[in-house]
Each structure stands twice: as C-alpha cells, then as structure tokens.
Amino acid sequence: MLKDSKSLKIAKGLVELSLNEEGRVEPEKINQILTELKNEPTRRSLPILRKFLTLIKQQINTYEGSLEKFDSNADSSSNLISDNISQARGKKINLVIKENKSLIAGFRMRIGDDVYEDSIASRIARLKKSLT
Amino acid sequence: MSSITDLIRKEIENLSTDATRTNVGTIATLADGVARVEGLSKVMYNEMVEFPNNVLGIALNLEEDSVGCVLLGETSLLKEGDEARTTGKLLSVPVGKGLLGRVVDAVGRPIDEKGPIDSDITYPVERIAPGIIPRKSVTQPLQTGIMAVDSMIPIGRGQRELIIGDRSTGKTTIAIDTIINQAKINKKGIESGDADFRPVYCIYVAVGQKNSNVARTIKVFEETGAMEYVTIVSAPAADNPANQYLAPYAGCAMGEWFMENGMDALIVYDDLSKHAVAYRQISLILKRPSGREAYPGDVFYLHSRLLERSARLNEDNGNGSLTALPIIETQMGDVSGYIPTNVISITDGQIFLETDLFNKGIRPAVSVGLSVSRVGSAAQIKAYKKVAGKVKLELAQFRELAAFSQFESDLDAATKARLDRGARIVELFKQNAFNPVAVEIQTSVMWAVQNNFFDSIEVSNIASSVDSLKEYLLTQGTEVCEEIYKTGKLEKETEEKLRSALEDWKRTQS
C-alpha cells in the first residue's frame, strides 16, 4: 500500500499525547487533539485522522479484551481468567464479558489480535477439518 | 460402515483438546483477488492465512498497520469485516509418486476427477535452492528425441535450458516431445531390467494458458502413453493471478521430492512470461513500487529463486537431479526484452526458435546461431559426440554461405560441397511433432550423413530417405542400434556393422 510516513509519524506522536501515565487512552486528551485538528486543518488532516484512529484502536486493544461465554452470568472462572491474563501480560486487562450461545461450552477470549479459545464449537470445527 | 466409524473414533482420540491461541485480523478492503487485513500482528511472510468459507490466502505484504494477502480461492465468498486468522503454516503441496498421471491445480488439489491424491507427504512451495556443497556437475544426458537439439544443443540432467521464441514457433512442442521421449526411454529401460537404469519423471506446469491447450497437451500425453510418468500442474488463464504465480513453485516442489530422493525429474514451465505478468499484476494490486515495463523490482529474483532449485546433486546427497525447461515467449523475435534477458542470464543455455525458419517449413525452427547449451555437451554420449561434434559449425557456416551465395553465380568446389552438406543437414533435422527419435537411431543417421550416404540423394528427397532409414534401422538394424544404446560408444567394430547395414539400406533405395 502507498506509504504516507509523515502522516504516520504525526499520528504516532498524537497517540503518545493521548495516553496517561498507565499507558491508557485518555478521552479528554483525545477531545483536545481533535479540536485542535478541527480548528487548524491541513491537507494531511484526513490521513492523519485515519492513522490516529487505527493506532488508538490498537492501543486500546492492548488492555481491553472480550470474553465470550455460553452463559454470560458472571462466575468465578471469568475473574480467574482475567487475573491470569493480566498476570501473564504484566498489566491490568479489562475483559468485557459477552454471551455466545454458539460456543456450546467453554470460552473464547480476544485481546488485540490474539484469540484464545477452548470451546466445544472449536473442537467440533477441528474434528470436521480433520475428517475432510 | 465399521471402517468409517473406526476412522471417526480414531480422529476423536487423536483430537487435541488443548486451548488454542490464534492471531486474527479483519478484512479492511477486498479487491482484485487481494485482501488488505488489519490486525494479524504475528503473521509471517508467505504464511497461509485462513478466511471464512475455506478460502486461503498468502501474506505477501507485511506493513506497519495492515497485511496484504493474495487470495487463492473464491473471493466472492468474502466480504469486508470478515475475520482472517493465521495458520502457522507455509503453503505446502502434496509430493511423491502418487502425483504421477494426475492433473492438479496450483495448490496440489486434483482437478482430473480421478479421486484424491495418493500421497501423505507435503513440501513447502517456497524452499531454498541447494547450495554449492551438495551439487555436482552435469554428467548424464537428458535426450529430447529431437535431432536438432540432441546433436547441437545437448541437455544434461540437472541443467536449466530455456526454450525461447515468438508465439507459434513450436516451443511447447519441443517440451512435449522431450517428455514423450522420457516416457519412451523409461519404458524401454524398465523393460530391459537394467538395475542401474534411472527413469526421468516429468512435471508440466501450465501457467496462464487456455484450458483447451492444456486439454490438448493432456490428450497427447495420454495417446503417446507418457501420462503415467507425468504430473500436470495447471493454472490456466482463467485462474486468479495468485494461482498463476504459485504454480511454478508448486511444480518445482513436486520435482524436488524426486531429486531429494535420489531420482531424476524434468520440469517444464510453460511459460514464465505469463508467470511474470501474473506477478506484475499481483504487485501492482499490492501497490508495490514498479520499475521497467511496470514489473516490480524483484522480478529477477522471482525467476532466479525458482530456476536455482533445479540441480544435480552429488552421491552424498542421493545423486538425484531436477532438469528445468523454462519457456519464454518473445515479441517480434526480440530477445533483448526485460524478462527474456533475465531468464537467459539465469539459465545454462537456450534453444531459440525463429519464426522465419518455422514459416519456411524448417521444424523444429531451431536457430543455430542463437541457441547454445553451456553445460550439456559434457553429458552427451560419446557415440553421438563423435558423429555430431562438428555439425553445429557446419550448419552455421552453411547459413552464412547460403546468404552470400545468393549474389554469387560461380562457386568453388569447397563452398559448393559445404552448401550441399548444409542443405542435407537442414533436411535431416526436419522432424514431425510428437515423434521423438531414440538416440541410437539419431547417432546412426548422423553417421550416415557424415559418411556421405546421403550425398547421392536429391535434397528434396532427404526427408523421405531419412524416414526410410529410420524404419530400416528399427526393423533390420536392431543389432547395431542395440550395441550403440548399450555401450554409448561407436567403436571401429560397431562402425563396420553400421556401414554394412547402411549399404544394405542403400541398395534397397536404388
């Protein structure tokens, strides 16, 4: 894809400015940046905003994830999974628990681009693949 | 029925029940067989990526914020926002003898409706070529069965010989003839029960060709009985460019299996011009910087890394070989084009076919001046070398003298003799398509020319006389031909027997 290294460099700088001491995105700081960009638009504003959005999403994905379960009613296993993954990654990970009936049993957790899965649905899919 | 339940039970027992970790991404854009995926932060270069509906892709562009994947399946089944996941595997194809007699696509899936491929071994499509240490010089001949080639531009096992020429000059025919000849030699060798006999297995890779042409080639192989030694890898013009780009590498992996297991194989890439065009298309869609003729900067590497995988291995590494016959189509006979010069510099010689010769009825239309084999002469059998050693020079001199003699009415005897001999050799080398000639017959015919057996025959009658001589040698002269085939030499005694056989034949002609 066409490289726009200058826009990327600026977007990276803006992301740095949007983070708090814990490395988490601060909505207030983002609002400030967006207002500035709106008040002083340049021909690069649009590509910068696109890259900024992508990078902010990536940043949020490092500490926020989703945990899909057959039954979303909280139980102790969700907290255990959350604690273990936070320990493994060396920082607090917030997990949003969602209900997914297609899993049949087990869980599916997504943090950033990584998906951890141990469900009956995935085992059936693996069996199906090995038989075809 | 019980076997099916047993199979399912076995699969269930072997099924891993561990939690899995995969790296995923989302399709951001989808166009022209290429998906730009956001995410996939841990994907490797050339790794297979899995999309919904069993569509596979290959990660070819790893960028800071996205990954460019070329898609190998039905792209209409995918949409923006679909999830893509890494597989941790490089693209692999089935290899082994189970592929012989089969027609497969660029990823090794059968397309001949003959059932699944009988092979449980796979090789990655992209592999590093053998280094210097496991290699050996070319020493064994690979007979094409085409007199003009075997005599003047001999090919050895492990060599890369380019077949180059304009459209419709007989490039594919030379490759098909060579494959048919390997099948003939294989059958004869296996029937003889010779323990040292090494059959040559063939792989024909069709890139960007019309399906009708591929069907015709398959029919020729079936009719000549060659199909049992051939694997056809087909990525026709209607296939997506990713498959056309991958097909030569897939075919090469299949050939490498034979080489690495101590066997000999021959691979034909028909053709690499269309392969380069498919790669250009992919590169432009991936928005890679383009260079000369809009080809990407790594178009030389595209072909060099493919052709370097053909080699002759030494005894410590199994003594196998992979011979490559890449084909390149030129425009208006221009060999100085970008892709032709690249491939000429990579290969160990080229067979150049001329449109003018083809139109004059000289077929195969091999240009003596522009064709060369850089290593093959070391592999030519002694008997053939003895009779055909000077023929290339004689023919080249003839072509030059023939051009000058048009302006000269009074020629000296030596020039006239050269012209007469040259005209006879030209006629001698005319050969019908799909009709390869055994090396012992070729040697005998060449010996007959060198010993003036054709001097009294009118030039216009040479072709029919050669046919009659071949027929005679196949029926009456089997003993002397067998001797040449077995020893590979032309001793004084053999020469006497050959002279006597030819005198017998000459008597039948008068």
Side-chain angles (χ1 to χ4, degrees), chain A residues 1-3 8 12 51 54 58 89 108 110 113-118 123 126-127 129-131, chain B residues 11 15-24 36 39-42 50 63-65 83 85 286:
Chain A
M1 304 296 157
L2 277 179
K3 304 279 183 299
L8 186 66
K12 276 182 178 174
K51 303 251 185 255
T54 311
Q58 282 176 3
R89 295 213 162 202
R108 186 178 198 266
R110 180 169 179 168
D113 298 338
D114 291 324
V115 173
Y116 303 84
E117 187 163 6
D118 191 5
R123 288 185 196 179
R126 255 182 283 164
L127 181 64
K129 209 172 176 183
S130 67
L131 289 171
Chain B
E11 287 293 339
L15 194 71
S16 163
T17 53
D18 297 338
T20 57
R21 179 185 172 176
T22 46
N23 198 249
V24 297
R36 196 169 63 81
L40 295 180
S41 54
K42 293 188 179 73
E50 209 177 318
E63 291 168 38
E64 201 163 5
D65 52 351
E83 191 179 87
R85 48 176 62 208
L286 287 169

Side-chain angles (χ1 to χ4, degrees), chain B residues 66-223:
Chain B
S66 65
V67 176
C69 294
V70 289
L71 301 167
L72 298 172
E74 183 56 61
T75 50
S76 61
L77 299 170
L78 302 177
K79 59 182 188 307
E80 230 177 272
D82 276 349
E83 191 179 87
R85 48 176 62 208
T86 56
T87 59
K89 292 178 202 160
L90 295 173
L91 184 65
S92 301
V93 287
V95 294
K97 284 191 175 175
L99 281 153
L100 295 172
R102 303 300 304 268
V103 185
V104 295
D105 68 3
V107 283
R109 290 177 296 211
I111 50 171
D112 53 4
E113 295 178 355
K114 288 183 184 169
I117 300 288
D118 180 22
S119 168
D120 50 5
I121 319 159
T122 57
Y123 266 26
V125 162
E126 291 274 3
R127 300 183 86 207
I128 303 282
I132 301 160
I133 303 302
R135 285 182 191 244
K136 186 185 165 184
S137 300
V138 170
T139 51
Q140 282 184 312
L142 185 125
Q143 311 290 352
T144 63
I146 301 160
M147 284 189 76
V149 176
D150 288 343
S151 59
M152 297 186 291
I153 320 144
I155 301 170
R157 294 187 186 189
Q159 188 176 341
R160 290 99 28 106
E161 183 78 7
L162 169 67
I163 303 171
I164 184 167
D166 278 5
R167 57 180 288 275
S168 300
T169 49
K171 302 183 295 296
T172 303
T173 308
I174 286 186
I176 292 174
D177 272 350
T178 308
I179 292 176
I180 294 170
N181 199 43
Q182 302 320 305
K184 277 187 174 180
I185 296 169
N186 290 353
K187 280 178 188 164
K188 195 176 173 185
I190 291 164
E191 273 170 21
S192 72
D194 181 2
D196 295 330
F197 177 73
R198 296 169 64 88
V200 177
Y201 301 101
C202 306
I203 296 132
Y204 178 82
V205 185
V207 183
Q209 290 193 38
K210 285 180 274 187
N211 269 325
S212 59
N213 282 357
V214 180
R216 202 168 56 206
T217 306
I218 295 167
K219 198 171 168 233
V220 170
F221 287 146
E222 279 171 348
E223 282 173 358

Side-chain angles (χ1 to χ4, degrees), chain B residues 147 381-388 437-450 473 484-485 488-490 498 502:
Chain B
M147 284 189 76
I381 65 164
K382 279 183 181 167
Y384 211 161
K385 204 179 261 183
K386 194 173 177 182
V387 294
V437 182
V439 68
E440 60 275 16
I441 304 284
Q442 289 188 37
T443 311
S444 305
V445 173
M446 286 303 296
W447 191 88
V449 175
Q450 301 291 9
L473 288 166
I484 297 169
Y485 172 74
K489 288 176 189 166
L490 209 53
L498 187 58
L502 288 170

Side-chain angles (χ1 to χ4, degrees), chain A residues 67-70 81 103 105-109 116-120 122, chain B residues 19:
Chain A
L67 178 65
E68 292 171 38
K69 296 179 75 185
F70 176 77
I81 291 169
L103 293 178
F107 73 93
R108 186 178 198 266
M109 179 172 61
Y116 303 84
E117 187 163 6
D118 191 5
S119 68
I120 297 297
S122 71

Side-chain angles (χ1 to χ4, degrees), chain B residues 147 424 427-430 441 445 449 454 457 461-473 505 509:
Chain B
M147 284 189 76
R424 279 169 174 77
E427 287 300 311
L428 182 81
F429 282 159
K430 284 183 183 173
I441 304 284
V445 173
V449 175
F454 284 95
I457 300 168
N461 294 333
I462 292 281
S464 58
S465 298
V466 169
D467 287 342
S468 124
L469 176 57
K470 284 175 189 169
E471 188 68 34
Y472 181 86
L473 288 166
W505 165 75
Q509 293 292 295

